[in-house]
Amino acid sequence: MGTNLTRKILQEHLVSGDMTPGETISIRIDQVLVQDLTGTQAFLHFEAMGLERVRCEVAVCFADHNVLQVKPENMEDHIYLMTAGKKYGIWFAKPASGIGHQIHLEHFAVPGKTALGADSHTPHCGGIGMIAIGAGGMDVAVAMGGGPYHLVMPRVVNVQLTGALQPWCTAKDVILELLRRLTVRGGKEKVFEFTGPGIHTLNAQQRVTITNMGTELGATTSIFPSDDATREYFRRLGREEDWREALPDDDAEYDEVIDLDMSAVEPLIAEPSLPDKVVPVREASGRKVHQVMVGSCTNGSYTDLQAVAKIMKGRRVHPEVSFFIHPASLMDLKLLAEEGYVADLISAGVNVAEATCGACIGSGHVPAPGTVSVRAINRNFQGRSGLKDDAVYLASSETAAATAIRGVITDPRDLEEEGIEAPTAELPARINQDNPNLIPPAPPEEAATMVVERGENIVPAPVKGALEPSLSGNVLLKVDDDISTDHIMPASADILAYRSNIPKISEFVFHRLDPTFSEQAKAKGGGFIVGGLNYGQGSSREHAALAPMFLGVKGVLAKSLARIHHANLINFGLLPMVFVSPDDLDAIEQGDELAIDDVLEGVDRGRLTVQNRTKGTTIEVTLELTERQKEILKAGGLLSHTRARGSDGPPD
Ligand code: MIC
Ligand code: SF4
């Protein structure tokens, strides 16, 4: 039997391990990306390794999340990232160059290569045949230093696409259909590899929309082959020389197969407040909407915005709706302006906002209480928009535009009644890659004398001491299933200013669930968090481990842990504990006092006994740890581990 594309690329980059699903492997990383929320910590970790220059092929830092610069701290972060990047050999994409994933795709991505990004939507570039994985900033810093990335060898799921999308049905609906079937927990330790005759009906940008949002399945990554359609995209980018073919063997073997007939996919919408609460748009239609957004790394491309402009041309946004778009790339926006599409949008009353993450990360356009917002973006975790009890729906750009015209959730196919034709998914004619905001690193000789500018907000991350042999503390918070890192370490403009300042940002841990959490955790000298399934899903932000660690949190007990958050907990020395018997969750209450003895032996065994002193019971938990992770945990985290070994340079 032949080899699938995922295994081919992993094999070519394999540093250690056995490529059997479930086993730990490590791989060489060719390209690294960070952004302005995760980048400051990643850069600080990199500096702590004592290296002068990055050792990967390409490293880029994108100023895309914190662009509004609502506080002076935001710009301080950017100045640090720009000067450090120049010195250490890292490209810097200035604010409003666009959203990092799209800029990386257009400017740097190369089929067959590996990329590690300090952002969960790094699988974006999987759409052109890369193995692109999201990780915490600490793991990305290691890759910047030339160290390997350690991961669980995923099961490779073959999604066989057949048929072709019907008018008004889109790539976004394909990924929503997968979320409907598999849920936000369905992709853990899996790679979704797309093949089948249907892939030839999708252009590269449509494929990217699918791999980008594969993140919401909890997947390690998603990938399409690099074929003639990919080549055509690279030709239009003016980068045909970077294109190479990357295909699975004809008789490739997979661990699982899913069939998806795209002809049967209809316009879908995810209801508040999870990306897998998917229903046909028809079932949700008629609900009054106050706000509509198209953008983010998932739906902000030329292809999406051109479709919206074609729908809006000659029409008006409903009088009671605010409709804004965040383009994903400055160069796409420029082309759309040259071709007249931006004028069509403006004439229709669409607010063409800056090319950034913007409202996707709760930076601006916060909805009013009691209103509905329909967004062509990728995630709608409760409170992420900046409003605690928000009602955010996720849909395609076409559904969003139809909704903006009618003022109620609308199946875009209904627009045919008004004589509006279904737009086809167009690639840009030619995207000029001369992005004025993309700043290359300084050459080594110049870099050697450069000084990194560090404002007062750039505070090195606290480092935890070695793991103690016994631990005790109260359950500081008990939460439900599917708690996202947006719940643990909220985003939104006011808080984002403190991403480089852990003492300050730790004041906001669990802020929307319990505004007193941080004070209580400190007053009690730390403790434990108890959660349900898929604890820590969503973003890669290591702040969701680092800030609780700063508050004295010693570990998390959950029914299951999301992939990136699990790694982040270990990197910062927190115990990632999973109930052996999930029902034990019911026997713990918030406030209970827990104690664990023989912690170090338990870490070695991968199993601990937790005493509930309040209830007088004991609970068994497992720790899924590799030998390397056991050592990291015992040392108190990755930085302490590296220091304890007394070595400079990236950890192995
Ligand atoms: C997100 O979409 O949640 C973010 C903001 O891009 C995060 C990164 C972060 O929180 O810094 C992600 O996806 O990893
Ligand atoms: Fe930015 Fe939203 Fe994409 Fe995250 S999901 S990178 S916040 S656009």
Side-chain angles (χ1 to χ4, degrees), residues 304-314 336 340-342 344-345:
D304 282 276
L305 302 188
Q306 194 216 47
V308 173
K310 283 185 173 167
I311 295 169
M312 300 309 297
K313 188 177 168 75
L336 288 158
Y341 291 113
V342 172
D344 293 337
L345 289 165

Side-chain angles (χ1 to χ4, degrees), residues 35 37-38 65 101 118-121 135 215 297 357 360-361 378-379 381 384 485-486 491 496 499 538-541 543 564:
Q35 35 89 341
L37 296 183
T38 53
H65 288 68
H101 303 300
D119 193 286
S120 66
H121 290 99
T215 295
C297 44
C357 299
C360 179
I361 188 59
N378 49 39
R379 44 179 61 150
F381 304 132
R384 182 176 161 90
T485 53
D486 276 291
L496 294 180
R499 280 289 186 97
S539 90
S540 68
R541 66 191 73 148
H543 301 72
I564 305 178

Side-chain angles (χ1 to χ4, degrees), residues 60-360:
V60 196
C61 173
F62 298 96
D64 52 0
H65 288 68
N66 243 338
V67 173
L68 217 45
Q69 303 183 331
V70 288
K71 298 195 178 198
E73 286 85 353
N74 297 148
M75 200 174 174
E76 251 180 7
D77 284 357
H78 288 160
I79 291 173
Y80 167 64
L81 291 169
M82 186 176 60
T83 55
K86 267 198 150 174
K87 185 169 176 69
Y88 302 132
I90 303 159
W91 287 77
F92 182 69
K94 280 163 61 181
S97 316
I99 300 171
H101 303 300
Q102 185 66 18
I103 307 304
H104 200 87
L105 174 79
E106 294 178 358
H107 207 89
F108 299 102
V110 175
K113 298 263 180 194
T114 54
L116 194 70
D119 193 286
S120 66
H121 290 99
T122 304
H124 195 76
C125 290
I128 57 93
M130 287 181 88
I131 287 287
I133 304 177
M138 180 69 89
D139 287 330
V140 173
V142 171
M144 277 160 52
Y149 176 59
H150 299 256
L151 72 159
V152 173
M153 177 64 204
R155 291 169 67 75
V156 185
V157 182
N158 181 206
V159 185
Q160 287 200 356
L161 295 180
T162 53
L165 289 166
Q166 298 301 298
W168 298 106
C169 305
T170 68
K172 177 68 169 281
D173 299 306
V174 171
I175 186 63
L176 285 172
E177 169 62 15
L178 276 175
L179 276 153
R180 189 185 68 77
R181 291 191 198 178
L182 305 176
T183 80
V184 290
R185 302 172 202 155
K188 188 160 180 205
E189 271 141 31
K190 292 181 180 173
V191 171
F192 291 86
E193 183 171 319
F194 291 80
T195 67
I199 66 167
H200 304 300
T201 68
L202 298 174
N203 67 35
Q205 192 66 59
Q206 291 172 294
R207 296 173 180 187
V208 159
T209 293
I210 295 172
T211 58
N212 171 293
M213 202 171 160
T215 295
E216 267 48 66
L217 295 162
T220 303
T221 190
S222 302
I223 188 166
F224 274 82
S226 169
D227 57 8
D228 287 346
T230 323
R231 181 181 206 154
E232 176 58 23
Y233 182 57
F234 273 71
R235 195 184 64 71
R236 292 177 188 226
L237 293 175
R239 292 208 292 129
E240 205 174 348
E241 71 284 0
D242 286 339
W243 175 82
R244 59 207 62 170
E245 196 171 61
L247 303 175
D249 290 339
D250 288 341
D251 56 348
E253 229 182 346
Y254 291 90
D255 299 304
E256 282 173 48
V257 179
I258 293 176
D259 291 313
L260 202 159
D261 175 7
M262 291 194 294
S263 322
V265 169
E266 60 177 319
L268 296 169
I269 193 162
E271 297 187 306
S273 291
L274 276 177
D276 64 2
K277 290 183 75 179
V278 176
V279 297
V281 177
R282 287 226 187 285
E283 271 181 33
S285 60
R287 281 174 217 172
K288 181 162 173 54
V289 169
H290 279 84
Q291 187 189 64
V292 174
M293 168 188 177
V294 171
S296 84
C297 44
T298 311
N299 290 112
S301 72
Y302 176 94
T303 305
D304 282 276
L305 302 188
Q306 194 216 47
V308 173
K310 283 185 173 167
I311 295 169
M312 300 309 297
K313 188 177 168 75
R315 285 167 190 87
R316 288 277 161 101
V317 176
H318 187 277
E320 285 166 33
V321 171
S322 150
F323 183 12
F324 59 95
I325 60 172
H326 280 291
S329 151
L330 185 66
M331 302 321 281
D332 288 21
L333 177 61
K334 179 168 171 274
L335 187 60
L336 288 158
E338 284 162 1
E339 293 175 346
Y341 291 113
V342 172
D344 293 337
L345 289 165
I346 292 172
S347 304
V350 181
N351 170 358
V352 182
E354 74 278 5
T356 69
C357 299
C360 179

